[in-house]
Amino acid sequence: MGGMRYPQLALGTTPSSTITLVSNSFEIGPVQVGEGRLFLIAGPCVIESEAHAAKMADAIQRIAADLNIPYIFKASYDKANRTSVKSYRGPGLKEGVRILGKIARDTGLPVLTDVHEAADCEPVAEAVDVLQIPAFLCRQTDLLVAAGKTGRAVNIKKGQFVAPSDMTHTVEKVKSTGNDRISLTERGSSFGYNNLVVDFRSLAIMRKIAPVVFDGTHSVQQPSAANGVSGGQPEFIPLLARAAVAAGIDGLFLEVHDDPANAKSDGANALRLDLLKPLLENLLEIHAAAS
C-alpha cells in the first residue's frame, strides 16, 4: 500500500504565511495537513469514465501547480447514497479502484475516495491515500474502525445532523485503531427540508479535535430538492469559501466539473472548472491576510 510516488512541489510565489497550527498534523504524500498551508481536495463527484476522471485530474493539477497549492484528487467509485434508485452510482468497486490507482500512478497525486462499507476499505486502500467517510455514515462504528485499520488517512464528513463537538466520538473510533491521521470536513447542517446552512463556529470547534476541511460545494447543495436529485446554489460557493478560509481552515474541498449541467452526479452544486483558478487565487490572498 505504500508504493506511490510523489513529485516535489514546485517553488512558487504564494505567500508562506501560516494560520494557527493544530496539534495533530500529518502528511498525505507531499500534502502537509494541519501545518498552516491551505491544501485543495477537488475533482468530479463520481467517476463518469476513465477518460473524464483523468482529464479532470490533469486540468486541476495544472491549476494547483500554477498556484503552488498542494492538491489531492477526489472522485467516487460508487455513490451509494443517491436520492433515486435510478441515479448513476459509478463504475463500482473493482473498476473504480483500478481507475483511481491508475490516476495516482500517472499523475503522482494523492487520491481520495468515499467508502460506504467496511468490507471495501482494505481493497480501496490499496489504490488511494485517503478514505473518506460520507456524512450520512459518520457514526458507523464498523466503517470507521475498518478505515482506520488500513493506516490510510481518513477524512470524515460531519453529518448534517451532528453537532461539531460530537465529532470527538467519531474521531475516537478511528483513533482506537492506532491511526490518528484524521481530518474532519464541514459540509453544512440540515436546516428544514431540502436546505443546508453552515455554522462557521463549527470550524473552530472541530479544529480543536482534528485538522478541518471546508466543503464549499456540498454546503450549497439542496438535498433531494430537484425531483429525485439534489439541487444546489453554486453561485454561493465563492461566498462560503471566502468566509471559511478567513475563519481558518486547513483544506478546501470542491467538487469540480467541466460541464456541470451534464454531470452524472451533483452537477447542480459543482464548481465549473473555468471558475476554479480565479477562486483559488482569491482564497490564497485571503488565507495570507488571515494568517
Side-chain angles (χ1 to χ4, degrees):
M1 293 195 312
M4 292 188 180
R5 304 132 351 273
Y6 301 100
Q8 293 294 316
L9 289 173
L11 295 177
T13 58
T14 303
S16 59
S17 303
T18 60
I19 58 178
T20 302
L21 304 184
V22 293
S23 58
N24 54 324
S25 60
F26 58 92
E27 297 178 355
I28 304 173
V31 179
Q32 303 288 325
V33 178
E35 290 287 344
R37 186 178 181 189
L38 189 69
F39 67 91
L40 174 67
I41 302 170
C45 177
V46 68
I47 299 172
E48 300 184 3
S49 69
E50 181 173 350
H52 182 261
K55 173 185 174 183
M56 293 301 300
D58 178 69
I60 299 172
Q61 184 178 28
R62 290 174 185 273
I63 292 170
D66 285 346
L67 299 178
N68 199 30
I69 182 169
Y71 170 49
I72 299 170
F73 174 74
K74 66 84 50 185
S76 296
Y77 61 87
D78 180 21
K79 296 297 292 184
N81 54 355
R82 296 300 305 274
T83 300
S84 172
V85 71
K86 298 177 182 178
S87 295
Y88 176 76
R89 289 179 51 167
L93 176 63
K94 184 176 180 180
E95 179 65 1
V97 167
R98 183 192 69 78
I99 292 170
L100 293 170
K102 187 173 189 303
I103 288 173
R105 292 189 299 273
D106 290 349
T107 64
L109 290 170
V111 173
L112 172 151
T113 195
D114 297 294
V115 286
H116 294 85
E117 298 183 20
D120 287 359
C121 290
E122 189 172 341
V124 171
E126 294 290 341
V128 308
D129 302 85
V130 189
L131 302 184
Q132 180 165 274
I133 308 299
F136 288 131
L137 301 177
C138 72
R139 293 181 60 174
Q140 296 296 101
T141 302
D142 290 347
L143 179 60
L144 291 161
V145 170
K149 286 181 176 179
T150 67
R152 292 305 196 190
V154 181
N155 184 45
I156 310 169
K157 289 202 168 183
K158 180 182 73 64
Q160 302 91 325
F161 48 88
V162 178
S165 58
D166 287 344
M167 291 302 289
T168 301
H169 308 299
T170 293
V171 168
E172 288 304 318
K173 291 178 181 181
V174 179
K175 283 187 174 180
S176 72
T177 68
N179 186 347
D180 62 357
R181 301 174 68 230
I182 306 162
S183 56
L184 297 174
T185 294
E186 170 61 54
R187 50 96 73 233
S189 298
S190 295
F191 190 70
Y193 300 119
N194 309 126
N195 198 22
L196 299 169
V197 67
V198 177
D199 179 357
F200 286 95
R201 294 175 300 177
S202 71
L203 302 176
I205 293 168
M206 291 197 297
R207 265 189 112 240
K208 294 179 180 179
I209 305 169
V212 166
V213 176
F214 178 69
D215 184 341
T217 44
H218 286 99
S219 291
V220 301
Q221 188 181 65
Q222 295 175 308
S224 307
N227 191 29
V229 297
S230 292
Q233 297 177 305
E235 66 270 24
F236 292 117
I237 294 170
L239 174 70
L240 295 183
R242 290 195 299 267
V245 171
I249 56 174
D250 300 283
L252 180 70
F253 179 107
L254 296 170
E255 289 196 337
V256 179
H257 200 283
D258 55 335
D259 184 13
N262 291 300
K264 294 185 178 181
S265 177
D266 278 2
N269 57 262
L271 181 71
R272 240 179 37 227
L273 176 61
D274 64 312
L275 300 178
L276 177 62
K277 187 171 184 178
L279 174 60
L280 291 176
E281 288 173 335
N282 188 204
L283 296 180
L284 288 171
E285 291 176 352
I286 294 171
H287 182 263
S291 300

